[in-house]
Amino acid sequence: MTRRNLDRLAGLFFQVLGLCVFWGAWNMPVFEERGASIYEAPGLTPAILGLALAFCGFVLTIRKTKDGEKTDLWGEVLATPGHRRRALWAVLITVGYGVLAFANLPFKISTALFVFGFIMIFDERHDDTPINWPKRALLSAAIAIVVAFGVSYLFTDLFLVQLP
Amino acid sequence: MFEAFSAALATTFSLEHLFITLWATLLGIVIGMLPGLTATMGLALLTTLTFKMEPSGAILALLCMYVGSIYGGSRSAIILNMPGTPASAATTLDGFPLARANRAREALALATIGSLFGTILGAILLALFAPVLADYALNFGAYEFFWLAVFGVLISGQLTAADDPLKGWIAGLLGLCLAMVGQEQVFAYPRFSFGITDLTGGINLIPAMVGAFGFAEILANISARNTPKLAEDSGRALPRLKDIVRHLPTVGRSGIIGTFIGVIPGVGEDIGAWSSYALAKRFSKNPEKYGKGSEEGLIAAETGNSAAVPGAIIPVLTLAIPGSAPSAVLLAAMIIHGVRPGPLIMIQNPTFVYEVLLALTMAAIFMTVYGLLLTRPLLMVLKVPRARLMPIIFVLCSVGSFAISGRLFDVWIMVAMGIAGFFLRQLRFPMAPLVLGLVLGQLLDKNLRRGLILSDGSLEPFLTRPISAVLVSLIVVCIIWTIFSAVKRARNPE
């Protein structure tokens, strides 16, 4: 997808978001029954910001850029399918830990599993030799255990933070 | 004044505070030198680790982390050609060519000296201008604070997305909209909370910043998969005195410009470095050497980004408005620890201002010692594979966000902001204005409504009071300039 098309999509998104913010602000109470002035209305500032965001989104959608048709916007990090696959895996595994495992499993177990899985998936080879999976698993497990117990000790025993 | 300074001196040179300076500066250097770990992320994570510390020790640790991490970025910029933090991007231009010419250690030492002078010069300017600015800010009312918030978001968007200011402004507006979530200050009405109890408290700044800067960076690093190659660690370890003396005019100029760029709300150290670099090139007798291994260029960039650190702290202390993204975290940490920055700080808490000043100076001295004497062991850190480091950082991001108030909701905010930040950055939306918007949203809302009530709905005082008029003029010039440049670019694409 070209830079210009992605910019158009993003502009459209910000227009919708800005209008939603404006609509939400418009429907907020004014508290006139308490003798409040219109200028005290809770929705005043968000309404202005929503309109400003929608306007900027509109400009982003309609404007022309000098190299917009030629440049691939995803060039920096998500250039190839391989990179995109890594990004997807990274999102899945981190969200899985941060949103699901962190809340529902004991901290040491969830952290050890996350660190182990992350290193197993993403650790890189520095030459063309085949991956030595048992060695990688051993190293990942060692790091996972040290991190799980180390972070738990740091926060619960030293900083007195109750972890999930 | 003398009593306040003596008290600050006694606190700074206590054994406990010297020990904090020792470890926090080193930790800052290590975090700054690792590509993917930024100063903002380091400060946000350290804020969560310093909750239980007494306030002056906690703020000292954060200041040392700030100074150390901005300097640490130069290590990887010179050795790997990868800036450890965005503030060191300009350092790569001449640092890496010097390293490739078997002068890596010399480049590292010159960068260290530049950072030392930059921080010290910035601290001196902080000592001179913070009381003046605080005194002047006592005249600020609702109208001035409103325009200051607008100007901060606008100029931050303008300068952090120089190629495309519209995206910077959109990021700033997005941050301001996010700041509207939660109970507002007049009627305690929960805005945009959709009946979710956790949202009525608003979006906590620290998890949002850990997500936008930390988690987003982890995703970008893991997706990119580029294995860095280290340059040879060779050359002189200590710079020659005559070289230092030769570069003193560049250091002075870069220190002053870096500090003043740092003062501009939400702009930060990277712009400080680029501005200093550009100015040094303009004044140079050998501009053709820039980008090919110019010592002058290297020193200018490093002095500029380090001087921007004290510069960014000036508005934090005197106006409670951050000069950069890391200083936004610092501001949040100060408030968490019960310090109230703002125009009254020189009257209510002058000792604190001097403590900040001395902390910056001590951090700069410790940083120089580490930089000159521990080059080889520090560079070992760069050999740690990032795939093994990133999960540890993510665990700290999650635990740190949770630790602030023991709410899982903050971890979700961190994750959501991280994913949003990752995609926004891929679409070339800068993060600094978003964060500044999040910080300044309440200030803008409160002062707009207060100003309108005071003037009974009239916009006249917003436009006619002297400071307001200056700020409005700057905002109008900024917008017209951007539109003019965009039209010019569209007409002449080449």
Side-chain angles (χ1 to χ4, degrees):
Chain A
M1 190 179 269
T2 64
R3 181 174 180 169
R4 185 157 174 206
N5 284 343
L6 270 171
D7 273 357
R8 277 181 184 152
L9 267 179
L12 211 59
F13 171 77
F14 288 120
Q15 279 179 71
V16 173
L17 183 68
L19 291 174
C20 286
V21 171
F22 177 76
W23 183 78
W26 187 260
N27 285 303
M28 283 177 195
V30 182
F31 295 106
E32 277 172 323
E33 70 280 7
R34 295 193 205 171
S37 149
I38 185 80
Y39 307 116
E40 287 174 277
L44 179 71
T45 315
I48 296 169
L49 293 174
L51 281 180
L53 185 63
F55 176 74
C56 288
F58 174 70
V59 176
L60 189 64
T61 311
I62 59 157
R63 71 172 185 176
K64 287 179 181 171
T65 49
K66 58 178 177 180
D67 58 348
E69 298 295 354
K70 292 176 247 167
T71 323
D72 183 357
L73 194 73
W74 296 118
E76 213 170 81
V77 170
L78 302 172
T80 63
H83 285 187
R84 285 195 276 271
R85 212 167 28 245
R86 280 172 74 86
L88 183 68
W89 271 106
V91 169
L92 285 177
I93 194 169
T94 45
V95 170
Y97 172 73
V99 176
L100 300 174
F102 194 78
N104 298 308
L105 286 175
F107 176 76
K108 284 175 193 158
I109 294 174
S110 63
T111 301
L113 284 174
F114 166 69
V115 176
F116 178 79
F118 197 101
I119 300 175
M120 284 297 285
I121 295 171
F122 295 112
D123 206 15
E124 288 152 16
R125 284 166 294 163
H126 298 289
D127 48 40
D128 293 331
T129 55
I131 300 172
N132 185 341
W133 286 107
K135 191 180 165 190
R136 184 183 282 193
L138 210 65
L139 179 80
S140 308
I143 297 173
I145 290 167
V146 170
V147 172
F149 280 86
V151 174
S152 172
Y153 174 75
L154 183 74
F155 278 88
T156 49
D157 295 317
L158 293 184
F159 299 127
L160 306 174
V161 173
Q162 193 65 46
L163 293 174
Chain B
M1 181 186 148
F2 183 73
E3 277 173 24
F5 188 74
S6 307
L9 212 58
T11 313
T12 308
F13 286 97
S14 68
L15 268 181
E16 187 194 345
H17 279 223
L18 283 175
F19 180 65
I20 292 172
T21 313
L22 193 77
W23 67 257
T25 310
L26 183 62
L27 188 64
I29 295 173
V30 171
I31 285 186
M33 68 195 285
L34 287 165
L37 305 188
T38 61
T40 314
M41 181 187 188
L43 276 161
L45 282 177
L46 193 63
T47 303
T48 64
L49 295 173
T50 52
F51 279 154
K52 304 285 172 183
M53 288 171 73
E54 49 95 23
S56 66
I59 304 297
L60 170 68
L62 293 168
L63 285 166
C64 294
M65 161 72 77
Y66 192 1
V67 172
S69 53
I70 293 298
Y71 160 72
S74 68
R75 313 289 86 183
S76 44
I78 292 167
I79 296 292
L80 295 177
N81 199 24
M82 282 174 76
T85 63
S88 302
T91 308
T92 55
L93 294 183
D94 290 298
F96 190 64
L98 278 169
R100 282 212 310 203
N102 289 327
R103 294 171 66 193
R105 283 184 166 201
E106 203 177 326
L108 290 168
L110 282 172
T112 305
I113 297 298
S115 293
L116 169 73
F117 282 123
T119 312
I120 302 274
L121 195 59
I124 292 169
L125 291 172
L126 188 153
L128 291 175
F129 288 103
V132 179
L133 191 60
D135 199 33
Y136 195 63
L138 286 171
N139 300 318
F140 281 29
Y143 313 105
E144 288 79 11
F145 274 113
F146 166 74
W147 284 121
L148 203 60
V150 175
F151 175 70
V153 173
L154 191 82
I155 198 78
S156 171
Q158 176 99 13
L159 294 179
T160 54
D163 293 341
D164 201 348
L166 181 64
K167 289 189 174 177
W169 295 347
I170 289 177
L173 282 167
L174 204 58
L176 288 170
C177 287
L178 285 172
M180 295 298 115
V181 175
Q183 283 185 338
E184 48 85 42
Q185 295 173 354
V186 181
F187 300 102
Y189 177 76
R191 295 189 286 210
F192 304 112
S193 51
F194 310 107
I196 301 166
T197 317
D198 284 320
L199 270 180
T200 54
I203 293 175
N204 202 330
L205 186 66
I206 300 291
M209 290 185 87
V210 168
F213 285 91
F215 181 29
E217 196 68 51
I218 291 172
L219 290 176
N221 259 277
I222 286 301
S223 310
R225 201 188 193 172
N226 43 353
T227 309
K229 286 192 172 65
L230 270 70
E232 199 65 37
D233 170 25
S234 53
R236 284 178 64 88
L238 291 171
R240 281 181 285 257
L241 189 65
K242 68 171 185 180
D243 285 340
I244 297 172
V245 172
R246 188 157 52 92
H247 293 303
L248 277 181
T250 307
V251 165
R253 194 189 313 113
S254 305
I256 291 168
I257 191 85
T259 308
F260 283 103
I261 292 286
V263 173
I264 301 171
V267 173
E269 299 77 19
D270 44 348
I271 309 290
W274 284 113
S275 307
S276 304
Y277 186 83
L279 205 68
K281 191 176 178 181
R282 187 166 291 178
F283 278 93
S284 176
K285 286 174 188 162
N286 305 303
E288 72 285 352
K289 284 188 180 172
Y290 278 65
K292 295 170 189 160
S294 161
E295 293 175 15
E296 206 174 63
L298 172 66
I299 282 202
E302 273 306 301
T303 309
N305 65 22
S306 293
V309 172
I313 295 172
I314 295 175
V316 168
L317 292 174
T318 55
L319 299 167
I321 287 176
S324 65
S327 69
V329 186
L330 191 67
L331 174 64
M334 283 179 184
I335 293 165
I336 288 170
H337 284 285
V339 177
R340 287 245 156 253
L344 291 172
I345 197 154
M346 286 308 294
I347 299 162
Q348 291 174 340
N349 201 355
T351 312
F352 178 73
V353 178
Y354 295 123
E355 277 177 13
V356 169
L357 194 69
L358 290 168
L360 290 170
T361 310
M362 290 304 290
I365 293 167
F366 277 61
M367 167 198 89
T368 309
V369 174
Y370 287 132
L372 294 179
L373 300 183
L374 299 179
T375 306
R376 197 174 285 267
L378 278 174
L379 293 182
M380 294 288 285
V381 178
L382 293 176
K383 293 182 178 168
V384 178
R386 276 181 289 166
R388 294 174 202 169
L389 199 65
M390 291 304 158
I392 305 172
I393 302 299
F394 186 72
V395 169
L396 289 175
C397 288
S398 305
V399 180
S401 301
F402 178 80
I404 293 167
S405 47
R407 294 191 309 174
L408 280 167
F409 181 73
D410 287 331
V411 182
W412 300 341
I413 288 288
M414 182 276 292
V415 171
M417 286 296 288
I419 293 173
F422 173 66
F423 282 103
L424 282 173
R425 281 166 57 172
Q426 298 318 306
L427 290 163
R428 291 187 170 80
F429 286 88
M431 284 294 100
L434 189 143
V435 167
L436 194 73
L438 203 53
V439 175
L440 296 182
Q442 291 298 329
L443 185 84
L444 183 138
D445 176 40
K446 187 174 73 182
N447 288 296
L448 172 65
R449 289 154 79 193
R450 187 182 287 168
L452 283 172
I453 292 164
L454 286 172
S455 66
D456 200 22
S458 166
L459 292 177
E460 197 186 327
F462 280 95
L463 305 172
T464 53
R465 283 167 60 107
I467 302 168
S468 294
V470 170
L471 287 167
V472 172
S473 310
L474 287 172
I475 289 166
V476 171
V477 167
C478 186
I479 293 171
I480 291 175
W481 177 262
T482 305
I483 294 170
F484 180 73
S485 307
V487 171
K488 202 174 157 189
R489 270 206 302 266
R491 282 186 183 163
N492 305 304
E494 298 308 315

